[in-house]
Amino acid sequence: MKIAIVCYPTFGGSGVVATELGLELARRGHEIHFITYSQPVRLALLNPNVHYHEVNVPEYPLFHYQPYELALSSKLVDMVKLYKIELLHVHYAIPHAYAGYMAKQMLKDEGINIPMVTTLHGTDITLVGNHPFYKPAVTFSINKSDFVTSVSQSLKDDTHKLFNIKNEIEVIPNFIELDKNLNDPSTPCNRSVMANKNERIITHISNFRKVKRIPDIIKIFYNIQKEIPAKLMMVGDGPEKEKAEYLCQELGIQDKIIFFGNSNEIDKILSYTDLFLLPSETESFGLAALEAMAWSVPVISSNSGGLPEVNFDGISGYLSDVGNTDEMAQNALKILKDDATLYKFKENALSVAKQFDIKNILPLYEALYKKAIKKYA
Ligand code: GMT
């Protein structure tokens, strides 16, 4: 199949999912065209089936806001015609589903009917999309998609609660490429770069936005390090990072925390991690937690959104109410208290992650694409 994938190219869950999906589809022989404003961070182009088309929005003094949707829909039209693309798969409703729908209409005018699959990722529904400024356009473009998927049952329920959606929404969970972890020659790295032998390594990875509750992570770690020797790896960058750095200084624990910023070496860090923290306010799925579990890392998370669908309480880690940092710290200590318990949780985390292996999830997308293409055949 010839598929155009529209996504955000940045360090964010939806972009990662879209990129990994496209790369695996390309390995399986499909022709994949990534269409976005810069090269996705995890996109390796060394595959004849992978193409990347950049959307350019030239500056013009009249524009206060650059019309990205317009440029994106025009690019989609051009690329569909040039490469005879058979299907659009847009990730994140805003503004991709809207731009995709415009492209569909323009193509229809020229006698080309192309199906569009929209994948809802989370904040496009729960935080941004349901803002009154965007809601009518988001509702419209979801309803005009040929097929809609969401990354968890919880997100599907939220979508129906928050929007008047007439379409069926199919749940296709996020996935992980487990073989990559087993075969990656670059890991493990030198553990001593991060911690001493006797210290447990605790990690958080995100884009440091408010929704991730970064101060909770510091509070949980503060309580942990009072009881056992430990180090905290903070990976990623975003608006909450600087505040977190100050908080660590105030608490006098700055020597026990490494702020890496955005990193392309997440796998190396996870390969030595003992525990992952994700106390988010809301999380439609929690891909970061799954990536940790795929490295046999148990997870302490909140119980919001789709997290209970990924992190199984008492098995792959523990879940608590949002903001209950005391309980989260106690549960962390329960897991870390001795090697045997930690080992049991590590084994469990990996075995839960296996359910989300790309080999199990990708056929669900392939089946949906076939159905979508058939719709206009
Ligand atoms: O929240 C983020 O870190 C980024 C955001 C995105 O869209 O890039 O992530 C959302 O999509 C991910 C992939 O489907 C999910 O795993 C995350 O849970 C979801 N984030 C939220 O719902 C807050």
Side-chain angles (χ1 to χ4, degrees):
M1 287 179 269
K2 293 184 179 194
I3 302 159
I5 293 186
V6 179
C7 64
Y8 282 106
T10 45
F11 285 91
S14 62
V16 169
V17 169
T19 309
E20 302 285 359
L21 173 65
L23 291 175
E24 183 62 19
L25 287 163
R27 283 191 282 271
R28 290 186 184 215
H30 302 291
E31 187 179 305
I32 304 301
H33 296 261
F34 288 95
I35 303 184
T36 180
Y37 57 82
S38 71
Q39 184 172 329
V41 284
R42 290 210 192 167
L43 183 59
L45 283 168
L46 278 179
N47 181 322
N49 286 334
V50 177
H51 305 257
Y52 160 58
H53 312 289
E54 191 161 307
V55 181
N56 292 302
V57 193
E59 298 245 337
Y60 185 67
L62 189 68
F63 298 151
H64 182 58
Y65 302 107
Q66 305 305 314
Y68 178 66
E69 293 88 315
L70 220 63
L72 173 59
S73 48
S74 294
K75 190 79 180 183
L76 284 169
V77 169
D78 289 344
M79 293 306 106
V80 166
K81 289 197 308 200
L82 186 61
Y83 288 97
K84 311 232 172 325
I85 289 167
E86 300 164 276
L87 177 128
L88 308 179
H89 187 176
V90 303
H91 291 260
Y92 209 88
I94 306 170
H96 299 152
Y98 195 74
Y101 174 71
M102 288 315 294
K104 256 175 80 78
Q105 291 308 102
M106 285 186 265
L107 288 161
K108 196 174 167 193
D109 228 32
E110 298 188 37
I112 301 169
N113 282 309
I114 186 160
M116 176 169 82
V117 174
T118 296
T119 291
L120 308 173
H121 277 275
T123 48
D124 48 349
I125 295 301
T126 53
L127 286 183
V128 199
N130 101 68
H131 190 284
F133 290 170
Y134 300 120
K135 201 167 178 170
V138 173
T139 311
F140 174 83
S141 44
I142 294 176
N143 279 328
K144 290 292 177 185
S145 304
D146 294 288
F147 292 92
V148 182
T149 75
S150 76
V151 297
S152 65
Q153 181 61 43
S154 148
L155 182 60
K156 175 178 173 171
D157 296 344
D158 283 343
T159 309
H160 282 301
K161 246 181 263 157
L162 296 166
F163 297 85
N164 181 12
I165 299 302
K166 298 183 183 90
N167 280 358
E168 252 310 298
I169 300 178
E170 183 178 350
V171 176
I172 303 187
N174 286 169
F175 50 82
I176 190 80
E177 200 190 327
L178 276 157
D179 286 353
K180 190 182 78 186
N181 292 10
L182 300 174
N183 301 328
D184 188 347
S186 65
T187 50
C189 69
N190 189 354
R191 187 188 190 278
S192 62
V193 172
M194 296 187 275
N196 299 325
K197 260 192 176 148
N198 65 328
E199 290 169 324
R200 298 290 197 202
I201 296 181
I202 297 162
T203 297
H204 169 76
I205 303 172
S206 78
N207 45 21
F208 285 61
R209 284 177 298 144
K210 256 207 152 59
V211 69
K212 303 293 172 183
R213 294 186 69 97
I214 301 297
D216 283 9
I217 293 158
I218 311 291
K219 281 181 214 158
I220 299 164
F221 178 72
Y222 181 75
N223 286 338
I224 295 172
Q225 59 81 44
K226 280 197 294 194
E227 304 296 325
I228 57 168
K231 283 268 171 65
L232 175 63
M233 309 295 129
M234 295 290 271
V235 186
D237 208 338
E240 294 285 296
K241 181 167 168 263
E242 207 175 302
K243 240 188 288 170
E245 285 167 311
Y246 276 118
L247 180 59
C248 296
Q249 280 185 16
E250 269 168 44
L251 295 170
I253 52 173
Q254 67 274 23
D255 295 344
K256 296 186 178 183
I257 304 183
I258 304 177
F259 284 90
F260 283 94
N262 283 330
S263 170
N264 282 323
E265 301 196 296
I266 283 172
D267 287 344
K268 286 188 182 173
I269 297 167
L270 287 177
S271 71
Y272 273 126
T273 295
D274 296 305
L275 188 74
F276 190 81
L277 301 180
L278 196 62
S280 307
E281 184 78 38
T282 173
E283 203 68 67
S284 68
F285 182 89
L287 182 64
L290 177 60
E291 291 192 320
M293 286 158 61
W295 280 105
S296 305
V297 179
V299 174
I300 292 292
S301 72
S302 65
N303 53 16
S304 69
L307 281 166
E309 294 173 48
V310 188
N311 183 20
F312 299 168
D313 197 40
I315 297 168
S316 56
Y318 288 104
L319 299 98
S320 302
D321 290 340
V322 173
N324 194 347
T325 52
D326 285 346
E327 186 181 281
M328 289 181 194
Q330 278 162 23
N331 284 338
L333 288 164
K334 258 197 248 171
I335 294 175
L336 297 171
K337 66 177 183 214
D338 58 65
D339 287 347
T341 311
L342 177 58
Y343 186 74
K344 189 190 93 205
F345 274 93
K346 275 178 163 289
E347 271 191 333
N348 291 349
L350 179 61
S351 93
V352 174
K354 282 182 181 161
Q355 297 175 24
F356 298 93
D357 192 347
I358 195 163
K359 290 196 186 93
N360 301 329
I361 309 298
L362 199 105
L364 304 177
Y365 278 116
E366 280 179 316
L368 183 65
Y369 294 160
K370 278 188 196 142
K371 201 158 70 173
I373 290 174
K374 224 168 141 190
K375 184 174 170 184
Y376 292 107

